[in-house]
Amino acid sequence: MVIALAALAATLGDDRRAQRLLDLTGIGTDELRKRAADPVLLAALLAFLEAHEPDLISVAAEIGVDP
């Protein structure tokens, strides 16, 4: 869960990635804030990153883990 939360923070810390996440998932910023620790949302975030290798590699490097 800690890695997924760090990945969420890194994703939202980059405007392009954050907008892509919001656009592709349809989740709003208010809902995202409310559900940030929800395991289902965090699993969906990891799937989102896995589906786009450049973002996966970039986020993994930012949070200091292997993709």
Side-chain angles (χ1 to χ4, degrees):
M1 185 168 195
V2 173
I3 290 174
L5 284 170
L8 178 60
T11 297
L12 297 177
D14 178 271
D15 290 339
R16 182 195 54 77
R17 274 194 310 256
Q19 192 59 55
R20 186 170 163 273
L21 174 67
L22 297 175
D23 290 346
L24 289 176
T25 62
I27 192 169
T29 54
D30 289 338
E31 184 179 356
L32 186 60
R33 283 185 194 98
K34 290 177 191 173
R35 296 182 55 206
D38 179 351
V40 173
L41 182 124
L42 294 174
L45 167 73
L46 295 177
F48 162 81
L49 292 171
E50 290 172 345
H52 188 69
E53 187 176 9
D55 284 347
L56 175 65
I57 291 170
S58 178
V59 167
E62 282 184 46
I63 65 173
V65 297
D66 290 332

